Amino acid sequence: MYIGGVEGGATQSTLVICDASGKIIGRAMGPSTNHWAVGIPGVAERIAAMARAAKVEAKLPEDQLLTAIGLCLSGAETEEMNRELEQYLRVHYPSVAEQYVVCSDTIGSIQAVSRLGGMVIIAGTGSNTLLRNPDGSTHGCGGWGHMIGDEGGAWWISRNAVKTVFDDRDNLRPSKMPVDRVWKLIQQHFGVRTMHDLLEHCYGGFCKTAYAGLCAKLARCAFEEADPLCRALFNEAGRTLARSVCALQPKISPELLGHTDELAIVCVGSVWLSWELLCEGFVHELNTRCFPYNLRLLRLKTTMALGAAYLAADTYNLVLPRDYTDNYDVFYTYRAVTNGNGTNVEGAFSIDHATNGRN
């Protein structure tokens, strides 16, 4: 028995193959597997290519069918599109797997840490928040792409930096903080001299991942130079990500919280590497909105593709041994403080200094 799992991101993807003991015996990397970006045929071709490469590492023949494979992909939000991808793989790449499960990339992250369910916040190039309850029901907030959503993601932070500079230089909305350092970072990142030069990168030559790459420079400047505008951009991102947690609060099942009233949140994506910059805004938003539950923020120590493999095994009642505690670290704990009426009046938080910060 061989179980596969795919972590399909908007920028890059990972496929793993597990044997019957739960050990990863094959792994392969590939480009984006978001069907909105490359189409169903493109996604299928890339999955098949990764499967072939992983089989080579696992010392399996190319025509060895995986017993099942979980495809947790960015953009895989509708059943119709997911069924279309599965059917395309079966017809055009019949040597990949016997059984398929296709779903959103957010599901795989939750499956990597618990069979029961939980919440995941993806804050990478884009953003998406999803809640999965023990009964299998799911509820989302965001994940609509950069034209509508993606708040708190790297593209959104980068766009806010550019917008703040433009508004200030136009005297439309003067910034309360100096914009000169951020403007220099924008010029360096995009290789431009004037505001008009930047328009090519915003429109005709727009590339979301390249645009989002500015975020890493803003984070470095916030950490190393304490630039006030850079720090404010990440503070607002932290508040925005916390809003998505609060938005899903009414949908949280009591069975998911247990007797401790504690919710586990898996935090995925490069923006979370700047947690030190996000923390103040994140906590402030939870306190302001009187969020009533304790939180544990988890950082995966393994690829989310392993969670996709767990999902495939559980869907088809295949025994795949696992120890969830090996797959994550707890890097932050939020304790909701309540008054006698059970109403949240303030939030208390603690940070595990061993895992806090940029590492």
Side-chain angles (χ1 to χ4, degrees):
M1 184 184 73
Y2 301 101
I3 308 295
V6 174
E7 172 184 1
T11 303
Q12 64 180 18
S13 303
T14 302
L15 184 148
V16 300
I17 298 175
C18 299
D19 63 13
S21 72
K23 178 184 177 182
I24 295 177
I25 59 172
R27 184 189 305 254
M29 304 291 292
S32 168
T33 46
N34 185 314
H35 72 85
W36 295 113
V38 300
I40 293 293
V43 172
E45 190 280 327
R46 292 176 179 190
I47 289 171
M50 288 190 291
R52 287 193 297 270
K55 287 175 184 178
V56 170
E57 183 176 301
K59 296 181 172 56
L60 298 176
E62 185 175 321
D63 61 355
Q64 171 71 58
L65 284 170
L66 302 179
T67 310
I69 188 169
L71 308 179
C72 295
L73 311 177
S74 171
E77 307 291 345
T78 67
E79 285 300 319
E80 181 180 357
M81 296 296 289
N82 295 349
R83 287 195 299 270
E84 183 180 342
L85 173 59
E86 177 182 343
Q87 185 61 24
Y88 194 94
L89 281 162
R90 290 186 181 279
V91 172
H92 296 276
Y93 301 99
S95 62
V96 173
E98 296 176 20
Q99 302 288 347
Y100 290 88
V101 182
V102 187
C103 62
S104 166
D105 54 347
T106 49
I107 298 292
S109 301
I110 295 173
Q111 290 291 130
V113 302
S114 173
R115 183 183 274 113
L116 188 64
M119 187 180 289
V120 59
I121 309 174
I122 294 180
T125 301
S127 66
N128 194 4
T129 301
L130 184 105
L131 169 72
R132 183 178 175 89
N133 284 316
D135 64 1
S137 63
T138 59
H139 308 277
C141 178
W144 302 113
H146 69 281
M147 287 295 291
I148 302 174
D150 278 352
E151 288 89 347
W155 176 85
W156 184 84
I157 294 170
S158 300
R159 180 265 181 194
N160 283 358
V162 172
K163 177 65 172 167
T164 301
V165 170
F166 272 54
D167 284 355
D168 181 82
R169 292 170 74 90
D170 280 346
N171 200 33
L172 175 67
R173 186 180 299 167
S175 173
K176 296 179 181 179
M177 290 154 282
V179 302
D180 292 348
R181 185 69 184 105
V182 169
W183 173 232
K184 288 182 180 178
L185 291 175
I186 293 170
Q187 290 173 301
Q188 293 167 4
H189 179 73
F190 291 103
V192 299
R193 186 175 59 86
T194 69
M195 293 163 63
H196 283 91
D197 294 338
L198 187 59
L199 297 182
E200 171 63 20
H201 298 278
C202 299
Y203 300 104
F206 174 74
C207 174
K208 183 177 177 180
T209 54
Y211 202 112
L214 172 64
C215 185
K217 294 182 174 65
L218 297 170
R220 192 175 304 114
C221 184
F223 276 119
E224 297 176 358
E225 303 176 35
D227 178 80
L229 178 53
C230 288
R231 296 188 71 87
L233 290 166
F234 280 89
N235 182 281
E236 180 59 27
R239 294 184 61 147
T240 300
L241 294 171
R243 286 186 200 117
S244 70
V245 177
C246 296
L248 292 174
Q249 177 194 327
K251 304 294 186 180
I252 299 172
S253 167
E255 289 76 20
L256 185 61
L257 297 167
H259 67 278
T260 61
D261 275 354
E262 184 173 81
L263 177 68
I265 301 180
V266 186
C267 301
V268 179
S270 58
V271 172
W272 291 107
L273 298 176
S274 302
W275 169 246
E276 187 177 315
L277 302 173
L278 302 170
C279 180
E280 182 179 353
F282 191 92
V283 171
H284 182 272
E285 192 68 22
L286 293 176
N287 292 345
T288 299
R289 292 176 178 256
C290 299
F291 190 78
Y293 306 129
N294 301 324
L295 299 176
R296 286 190 306 150
L297 301 193
L298 314 180
R299 180 180 291 122
L300 290 180
K301 296 194 296 183
T302 185
T303 172
M304 180 263 280
L306 187 59
Y310 292 165
L311 175 64
D314 294 346
T315 299
Y316 294 106
N317 296 314
L318 303 170
V319 177
L320 190 65
R322 68 203 73 172
D323 183 350
Y324 289 113
T325 59
D326 288 340
N327 295 341
Y328 65 85
D329 285 320
V330 179
F331 70 92
Y332 173 87
T333 302
Y334 174 87
R335 298 298 179 196
V337 179
T338 59
N339 61 21
N341 297 322
T343 304
N344 178 280
V345 291
E346 62 176 322
F349 65 93
S350 63
I351 298 174
D352 181 348
H353 293 281
T355 58
N356 180 41
R358 285 167 282 178
N359 296 322

